[in-house]
Amino acid sequence: MDPRINVVENRLGKIGRIIAVAGGKGGIGKSTIASLLALILAEANQKVGLLDLDFTGASTHTILGIHDFSFPDEDQGIIPPKYHGISYITIANFTQDKGTPMRGHDITNAILELLAITRWDELDYLIIDMPPGINDTTLDIIRLIKNIEFCMVTTPSKITTKVVRNSINLLKELDIPILGLIENMTYPAMPYAKQCFEGCYLGTIPYDENYEAAIGDAETLLETKIAKTLQNFTMICDKMC
């Protein structure tokens, strides 16, 4: 057995809850919701970490306006740098934000290495931004992180809903906790997924025409309709705050 697996549990031992933000398709707002959840929790004086595991499409640093891609400091492991009160790790720190072609074994090895060498402080929450779909990354973190929970994201689209349904069913078959499903970018504000996911439906986030302009500015991001709606999701706040 890879000896790093035994190290992972110890590295994550000081973290209260680990929540993966996932969905079946790309472009549905997973990274946005993961980034804003981390910002909202940090604003609420929670100790928060954000781990971007979308190796081929990392974008949380763009959303949060982080432009420092220097290698993190080391002291008996990698120490996540802090931005906006969030302890943060992304593949961009190791690639200087260049494209990273990776496949199967490379992804598994990179995830295991990151989890084994990163020295997280004591955290209330670690938010993980996941790549689209149920893939190597999802299966690896389910295998490596025993207490992981999933927050699923979809959009008001029959295509996206069909794919996220498959993802949710697979997670249920694996007995993985699901916090709930968020329907993002509803426009007009008409929920579509509600009728398909009554058991785990949390609510809608309306399309926000001001979001694009807010990208890169943490304070402005917290004023967007997306952030305001996330703050008002009492079901999430009850569970997360």
Side-chain angles (χ1 to χ4, degrees), residues 211-225:
Y211 173 65
E212 189 69 20
I215 290 175
D217 186 319
E219 291 187 8
T220 307
L221 283 170
L222 286 169
E223 297 301 319
T224 60
K225 287 189 287 188

Side-chain angles (χ1 to χ4, degrees), residues 30-42:
K30 298 181 303 299
S31 298
T32 294
I33 290 175
S35 301
L36 294 188
L37 279 176
L39 276 177
I40 291 167
L41 288 166

Side-chain angles (χ1 to χ4, degrees), residues 2-239:
D2 192 315
R4 294 175 296 179
I5 293 176
N6 291 330
V7 179
V8 171
E9 186 172 352
N10 183 54
R11 290 293 196 191
L12 302 176
K14 296 180 181 179
I15 301 174
R17 296 180 67 178
I18 303 176
I19 297 170
V21 179
K25 304 286 282 183
I28 60 175
K30 298 181 303 299
S31 298
T32 294
I33 290 175
S35 301
L36 294 188
L37 279 176
L39 276 177
I40 291 167
L41 288 166
E43 278 289 299
N45 295 317
Q46 300 291 311
K47 298 174 183 174
V48 186
L50 176 60
L51 174 60
D52 192 333
L53 285 185
D54 191 350
F55 292 154
T56 59
S59 55
T60 52
H61 59 286
T62 303
I63 294 168
L64 295 172
I66 298 169
H67 306 291
D68 177 10
F69 303 119
S70 56
F71 197 90
D73 292 337
E74 292 184 80
D75 181 10
Q76 300 181 17
I78 285 177
I79 302 173
K82 278 195 175 183
Y83 305 96
H84 317 303
I86 301 166
S87 299
Y88 180 62
I89 286 290
T90 171
I91 193 72
N93 282 118
F94 308 97
T95 65
Q96 283 70 56
D97 200 26
K98 296 177 181 176
T100 313
M102 301 175 75
R103 53 187 174 185
H105 178 74
D106 298 326
I107 293 174
T108 295
N109 190 47
I111 291 172
L112 182 52
E113 184 71 11
L114 267 184
L115 293 176
I117 66 174
T118 303
R119 227 189 77 189
W120 298 99
D121 287 332
E122 184 175 327
L123 297 177
D124 298 307
Y125 299 95
L126 176 62
I127 308 297
I128 301 179
D129 181 32
M130 298 292 294
I134 299 292
N135 47 29
D136 289 333
T137 301
T138 306
L139 297 176
D140 281 332
I141 67 163
I142 288 173
R143 176 173 64 95
L144 295 169
I145 304 176
K146 305 304 180 189
N147 58 338
I148 194 158
E149 305 166 273
F150 277 76
C151 175
M152 303 300 293
V153 179
T154 188
T155 60
S157 156
K158 292 179 181 179
I159 298 171
T160 306
T161 300
K162 172 66 172 62
V163 177
V164 80
R165 185 200 301 276
N166 292 340
S167 298
I168 288 175
N169 288 340
L170 182 55
L171 290 173
K172 287 181 175 178
E173 288 177 13
L174 296 172
D175 201 24
I176 304 300
I178 302 173
L179 284 174
L181 175 76
I182 294 172
E183 189 173 19
N184 189 31
M185 296 190 286
T186 56
Y187 185 83
M190 180 182 296
Y192 172 75
K194 185 176 183 178
Q195 57 191 310
C196 306
F197 301 98
E198 288 188 3
C200 63
Y201 189 77
L202 292 175
T204 65
I205 294 179
Y207 177 78
D208 188 342
E209 62 276 8
N210 297 316
Y211 173 65
E212 189 69 20
I215 290 175
D217 186 319
E219 291 187 8
T220 307
L221 283 170
L222 286 169
E223 297 301 319
T224 60
K225 287 189 287 188
I226 302 172
K228 298 292 185 185
T229 308
L230 277 174
Q231 289 171 333
N232 290 330
F233 274 5
T234 56
M235 290 178 69
I236 292 180
C237 291
D238 286 346
K239 292 176 179 178

